[in-house]
Amino acid sequence: FGRLFDELITMLCPRRVNGRARDQPLKGETDMESIPISDRFWSKVDTTGRHGPWHDCWVWTDHRTKRGYGGFRYQGKSCRASRMAWILTYGSIQDHVGVLHRCDFPPCVRPEHLFLGTDAENRADAKAKGRIPRGEHHPHATLTEMQVIAIRKDRQSGMSTKQLMEKYHRGKSCIQAIIHYRSWQHLS
């Protein structure tokens, strides 16, 4: 099958396309495979160190995600620029391990600002640094902190779950999570 496919491609695709050989780069285009990966990567980094919260981050200047993380393509695959910076500096990384930022600046690729961790360690780091929104600052919050405190006070004064549901226009699971401190745990 492979030989048949190669013959079909040879028949359908002329040896020259628009005056150039099929496998040569366009004029002004460089053959990315001929540039060492390290050179190609670091050429897209601003190492002046004037950026980020610590004012010494190395910033990825090429493609970024909506959340600000750098993106890099290598051998047809995409990966985060911070991950590639780690690999180029320190070596390979296991698949289930992520590259985290000490500086909490998504476009930073400075190796000294990066460390390895699992998803659970990343969440714990974010929580410890106060980067996880909670309470009424959470994007899905439908109650204010004052309402949550009022629900708990009303419960202590003897209101039933059903009465609280009617008064605050919330479902049973929401009310019970509040009164049993499964949600809004930071309010006591």
Side-chain angles (χ1 to χ4, degrees):
F1 179 75
R3 188 172 52 103
L4 183 63
F5 181 75
D6 289 341
E7 289 174 12
L8 183 62
I9 291 297
T10 303
M11 285 180 0
L12 295 176
C13 300
R15 295 228 180 261
R16 299 194 71 74
V17 178
N18 296 330
R20 68 174 176 84
R22 184 175 58 218
D23 58 350
Q24 290 179 346
L26 294 170
K27 187 175 183 180
E29 197 179 62
T30 57
D31 181 10
M32 288 301 173
E33 296 301 318
S34 67
I35 301 171
I37 186 69
S38 181
D39 292 347
R40 190 163 70 88
F41 178 84
W42 293 113
S43 73
K44 300 171 188 289
V45 177
D46 175 358
T47 59
T48 59
R50 297 185 310 245
H51 307 281
W54 297 350
H55 304 290
D56 65 346
C57 292
W58 293 356
V59 177
W60 182 252
T61 61
D62 202 20
H63 170 76
R64 291 190 203 168
T65 66
K66 289 179 184 175
R67 298 183 66 201
Y69 292 95
F72 185 72
R73 289 188 63 77
Y74 177 61
Q75 295 181 339
K77 295 182 181 181
S78 296
C79 72
R80 287 236 170 117
S82 53
R83 189 172 188 87
M84 184 56 73
W86 181 278
I87 291 168
L88 291 172
T89 306
Y90 303 114
S92 65
I93 306 170
Q94 294 176 348
D95 287 340
H96 68 282
V97 176
V99 177
L100 316 180
H101 290 85
R102 285 189 178 88
C103 58
D104 296 330
F105 190 55
C108 181
V109 294
R110 186 171 187 156
E112 296 84 9
H113 291 191
L114 306 174
F115 65 102
L116 299 179
T118 63
D119 284 341
E121 291 167 332
N122 192 24
R123 286 191 300 275
D125 179 57
K127 186 176 181 181
K129 293 175 178 176
R131 288 189 287 114
I132 296 178
R134 63 181 186 177
E136 58 192 56
H137 301 292
H138 192 280
H140 298 292
T142 58
L143 295 169
T144 65
E145 292 183 355
M146 296 302 289
Q147 288 172 312
V148 171
I149 291 168
I151 289 170
R152 289 178 178 157
K153 283 184 181 177
D154 287 346
R155 178 61 177 200
Q156 287 175 346
S157 68
M159 285 183 84
S160 70
T161 301
K162 186 171 184 169
Q163 290 171 324
L164 292 170
M165 289 166 52
E166 291 170 3
K167 180 176 179 180
Y168 293 99
H169 307 287
R170 295 293 181 268
K172 184 177 181 179
S173 62
C174 175
I175 297 296
Q176 287 184 333
I178 291 169
I179 62 179
H180 295 294
Y181 290 85
R182 288 191 303 270
S183 65
W184 299 83
Q185 298 166 349
H186 63 287
L187 296 179
S188 45

